[in-house]
Amino acid sequence: NIADMKYSVSPVVKVAVKAKDGKDLPKLVEGLKKLSKSDPLVVCTTEESGEHVIAGCGELHVEICLKDLKDEYAQCDFIVSDPVVSYRETVAEESNQTCLAKSPNKHNRIYMQARPLEDGLAEVIDEGKIGPRDDPKVRTKVLSEEYGWDKDLTKKIWCFGPDTAGPNLMVDTCKGVQYLNEIKDSCNAAMQWATKEGVLAEENMRGIVFELTDVVMHADAIHRGGGQIIPTCRRVMYAAELTASPKLLEPVYLVEIQAPEGALGGIYSVMNQKRGIVFEEMQRPGTPMYNVKCYLPVVESFGFTATLRAATSGQAFPQCVFDHWDMLGADPLDPGSQSGKIICDIRKRKGIKDFVQPLNEYEDRL
């Protein structure tokens, strides 16, 4: 039994491959299996849309893997998509209204609002310091002391999502609703579904708190089963996200560049082209080399190494590691903005309607 090796890098650059000829598909799948055995860092997965995705730690890495796959393992022709980057969806402020959705049989109504998580809390949840399996008393202490939550509210966290441990919360703020616990499971299921595929581009949500403000239910248990509650709850979450000024988060690399003093000008000019931010440069004591640290959006990192080497005539050595998620300022609901274009591209790739559906698709009138 060979233990997994621990890497300091994580696979963030993905390409999708599909066989040129339909009958070569088994060869390709077999080849992918061999590839993932031969290189322990590559992650080969099959998306829900049925495309095979190869994830590597950078552009060069993925390129080499594809070459190996073509010549050695699969020995067939395949089509490779452009490298794709995964985004996250979030909200920037509280919902400007309470959203309401009715169940298909019109007997149940769910009211909900969304608001952003406090700064730093999403990262703490990602690291697993706060999660669904915590001791409630410890969680209450941390949330109320460090993040200013109300103590009663922390006891009413229903679930985390996506995958029951992600950085989104559902909180029950209802007052005196009967039979509320009977629909708790259905709401949790809806939460997992909604946070896995957000309303903007069916990407994962991150850093959103959904507050269940009121529920009106049918007195008869038959009329409030999962089939009535789950889709309703999911729709009202989408509506709440849309009313809380939704935003996109993009992944950002931490780039460490080692270069001599003469190459620093080239580094800065490349960083400016690529929306990068240099935040630290240090000279190594006793050497002419400088260590430059900067943040670079993963989207801009394709072809970055080549551009950097060209600008510094091969003297700069970059290393990229995934660091954090950064909010895109533009309004994603405006198709002309930068976020809007990104969303349009993602939606085209996933084969869904090109633009975000308007609020009245998800929200009902009283």
Side-chain angles (χ1 to χ4, degrees):
N1 185 12
I2 303 171
D4 274 348
M5 289 166 69
K6 283 276 175 283
Y7 290 99
S8 60
V9 287
S10 59
V12 276
V13 177
K14 306 184 204 161
V15 295
V17 292
K18 67 173 189 212
K20 219 170 216 173
D21 192 354
K23 64 176 188 289
D24 283 340
L25 187 63
K27 268 191 195 172
L28 182 65
V29 175
E30 206 51 44
L32 285 170
K33 277 184 194 157
K34 288 179 187 162
L35 175 69
S36 57
K37 280 177 190 161
S38 72
D39 184 342
L41 178 54
V42 184
V43 180
C44 302
T45 48
T46 310
E47 293 285 305
E48 290 100 13
S49 55
E51 53 186 13
H52 298 284
V53 175
I54 300 178
C57 64
E59 206 186 4
L60 182 68
H61 183 200
V62 172
E63 209 173 291
I64 304 274
C65 294
L66 290 172
K67 183 179 173 299
D68 282 356
L69 183 63
K70 188 166 189 166
D71 302 345
E72 296 272 327
Y73 305 122
Q75 294 179 341
C76 67
D77 280 340
F78 48 80
I79 305 164
V80 181
S81 72
D82 289 337
V84 286
V85 176
S86 43
Y87 288 85
R88 293 281 185 275
E89 304 183 11
T90 189
V91 297
E93 48 198 64
E94 266 192 53
S95 295
N96 52 18
Q97 63 186 74
T98 303
C99 299
L100 151 75
K102 294 181 192 166
S103 61
N105 63 11
K106 303 283 184 279
H107 286 311
N108 309 291
R109 298 184 192 145
I110 302 181
Y111 296 84
M112 198 177 278
Q113 283 180 318
R115 65 175 179 83
L117 264 181
E118 284 76 8
D119 282 346
L121 191 48
E123 285 72 24
V124 173
I125 296 175
D126 274 344
E127 289 163 14
K129 290 178 187 161
I130 294 181
R133 284 177 282 287
D134 291 348
D135 180 5
K137 285 180 184 151
V138 178
R139 188 194 317 167
T140 299
K141 192 172 171 217
V142 172
L143 283 174
S144 60
E145 286 176 9
E146 293 180 22
Y147 299 102
W149 277 53
D150 189 284
K151 282 198 170 150
D152 298 336
L153 201 59
T154 57
K155 297 191 179 91
K156 293 192 166 181
I157 293 177
W158 270 12
C159 64
F160 292 72
D163 303 325
T164 66
N168 302 288
L169 302 179
M170 176 146 136
V171 186
D172 151 38
T173 57
C174 304
K175 299 277 188 287
V177 176
Q178 279 183 310
Y179 315 123
L180 193 55
N181 275 340
E182 293 189 13
I183 65 161
K184 183 171 174 179
D185 286 347
S186 301
C187 287
N188 289 2
M191 166 89 180
Q192 304 308 329
W193 186 13
T195 49
K196 189 91 180 139
E197 302 180 346
V199 70
L200 297 178
E202 293 197 1
E203 293 284 328
N204 289 5
M205 292 184 191
R206 180 185 168 84
I208 308 182
V209 182
F210 291 104
E211 294 182 344
L212 194 65
T213 49
D214 192 14
V215 181
V216 179
M217 273 183 293
H218 195 274
D220 187 358
I222 286 180
H223 292 302
R224 47 165 199 266
Q228 301 292 340
I229 300 296
I230 295 177
T232 314
C233 190
R234 173 172 170 256
R235 282 180 55 213
V236 75
M237 284 179 167
Y238 283 173
E241 187 192 345
L242 280 175
T243 55
S245 76
K247 293 274 187 277
L248 274 188
L249 294 169
E250 65 172 354
V252 178
Y253 277 142
L254 169 65
V255 188
E256 293 191 21
I257 305 174
Q258 293 155 4
E261 190 176 357
L264 291 182
I267 294 177
Y268 278 101
S269 66
V270 173
M271 277 295 155
N272 286 340
Q273 287 166 20
K274 301 259 181 195
R275 295 193 294 135
I277 301 166
V278 180
F279 65 94
E280 183 186 322
E281 64 168 64
M282 280 168 55
Q283 185 167 14
R284 280 207 217 147
T287 63
M289 296 296 273
Y290 276 79
N291 272 14
V292 183
K293 286 189 179 176
C294 29
Y295 289 133
L296 176 75
V298 173
V299 191
E300 305 285 346
S301 70
F302 305 125
F304 165 67
T305 333
T307 320
L308 185 68
R309 295 224 168 110
T312 59
S313 58
Q315 291 174 310
F317 293 96
Q319 279 185 321
C320 303
V321 190
F322 171 74
D323 189 69
H324 65 278
W325 295 95
D326 203 12
M327 192 184 287
L328 289 172
D331 177 20
L333 302 179
D334 165 26
S337 69
Q338 183 204 359
S339 307
K341 290 193 179 91
I342 292 172
I343 286 174
C344 189
D345 289 344
I346 298 176
R347 292 180 80 99
K348 272 186 185 142
R349 190 178 86 234
K350 294 190 175 173
I352 42 187
K353 288 178 184 167
D354 277 359
F355 46 89
V356 181
Q357 298 300 301
L359 180 60
N360 53 19
E361 279 279 311
Y362 302 111
E363 194 202 22
D364 294 317
R365 287 268 146 283
L366 256 173

